[in-house]
Amino acid sequence: MFTGIITGQGRVAQCQRKGGDLALKIHAESLDMHDVALGDSIATNGVCLTVTRLEGSSYWADVSAETLAHTTLSQWQVGQQVNLEKALQPTSRLGGHLVSGHVDATGEVVAIWPDARSIRYRIKVLPELMRYIALKGSICVDGASLTVTGLDADEFELSIVPHTAQETIMASYQVGTQVNIEVDQIARYLERLIAPQNVQSEPKVSSLTETFLAEHGFMGRRR
């Protein structure tokens, strides 16, 4: 689990294609790596990656075909900057919102404009994803926990203050930039809990009958 509060930035050092998936090396120059061990999770542009090898201030991770299909990771190039966050500890402050690192889909930056000292971004997503996005609610974009400031049929807006722009890769976004989107987990689970069950399995008929028990010596035979 993560908070969506970016604690460092890194860059893609190597991308090695391996039998349909990917081995990725991230140089985490600004992330405190002293307590990172093999098997730990690091959110990399919002994608939960498991550390498979450590090399100084860099880490390696394997990326499955499933992750490549649903995130921007398949488009990453060597030298690209990424947002980083180590996994949440029980003693950590929950400054953002609970983030799993399991990306729902990608989105596209469609507009950018200044708003006093802040920067406004408009991001387009799949229409079916919009039902999980609420005005003033939380959303995770490339691993950063952000507040939704505007909504449309298939777009939402963000207002990014100077500190967030400085501490994340958002200042580098341009119109057309693809980003990883993770919606608020509460919205997903709430929908699942209250939605009618559209598919109901047929009740199973038990084969454990009195005749079966009698034939196998568990009770006297029926007369």
Side-chain angles (χ1 to χ4, degrees):
M1 298 298 293
F2 306 92
T3 68
I5 302 300
I6 304 304
T7 53
Q9 293 184 39
R11 59 181 173 83
V12 179
Q14 290 188 48
C15 293
Q16 296 181 356
R17 295 284 176 181
K18 291 190 172 183
D21 55 30
L22 189 69
L24 190 70
K25 181 181 180 181
I26 301 294
H27 183 50
E29 58 262 30
S30 64
L31 192 69
D32 182 5
M33 297 284 289
H34 83 278
D35 58 348
V36 175
L38 295 182
D40 282 358
S41 297
I42 298 178
T44 309
N45 261 18
V47 183
C48 179
L49 297 180
T50 301
V51 176
T52 59
R53 193 186 345 159
L54 289 165
E55 293 182 359
S57 60
S58 300
Y59 63 92
W60 284 85
D62 290 326
V63 183
S64 69
E66 173 74 9
T67 299
L68 291 172
H70 291 90
T71 70
T72 62
L73 219 152
S74 61
Q75 306 167 22
W76 290 4
Q77 303 291 328
V78 171
Q80 177 171 333
Q81 294 292 117
V82 290
N83 291 324
L84 301 175
E85 182 192 355
K86 292 187 291 187
L88 173 67
Q89 295 180 324
T91 56
S92 301
R93 288 187 176 93
L94 186 58
H97 69 286
L98 287 176
V99 174
S100 68
H102 303 157
V103 173
D104 291 291
T106 60
E108 180 182 352
V109 178
V110 294
I112 304 172
W113 68 97
D115 182 14
R117 293 190 304 120
S118 297
I119 305 172
R120 292 263 188 172
Y121 294 88
R122 180 171 279 265
I123 298 177
K124 185 180 181 68
V125 296
L126 295 171
E128 54 264 35
L129 211 61
M130 290 300 296
R131 66 179 180 269
Y132 304 112
I133 302 174
L135 187 64
K136 304 302 181 182
S138 297
I139 194 162
C140 189
V141 179
D142 276 348
S145 173
L146 303 169
T147 301
V148 177
T149 57
L151 286 174
D152 207 337
D154 58 355
E155 298 174 351
F156 65 90
E157 290 182 11
L158 304 168
S159 181
I160 305 303
V161 298
H163 177 79
T164 302
Q166 178 181 336
E167 297 299 320
T168 70
I169 64 169
M170 294 194 72
S172 67
Y173 287 176
Q174 300 177 357
V175 172
T177 295
Q178 300 292 307
V179 294
N180 292 320
I181 303 292
E182 180 184 335
V183 300
D184 189 13
Q185 293 186 62
I186 295 175
R188 283 192 304 213
Y189 284 112
L190 185 60
E191 180 190 53
R192 181 63 176 169
L193 284 170
I194 66 176
Q197 297 299 312
N198 295 321
V199 179
Q200 296 184 355
S201 58
E202 293 293 329
K204 293 182 178 179
V205 178
S206 175
S207 59
L208 192 63
T209 62
E210 287 187 25
T211 301
F212 177 90
L213 293 173
E215 289 176 349
H216 291 79
F218 290 100
M219 59 186 296
R221 293 183 180 274
R222 300 181 67 180
R223 300 182 185 278

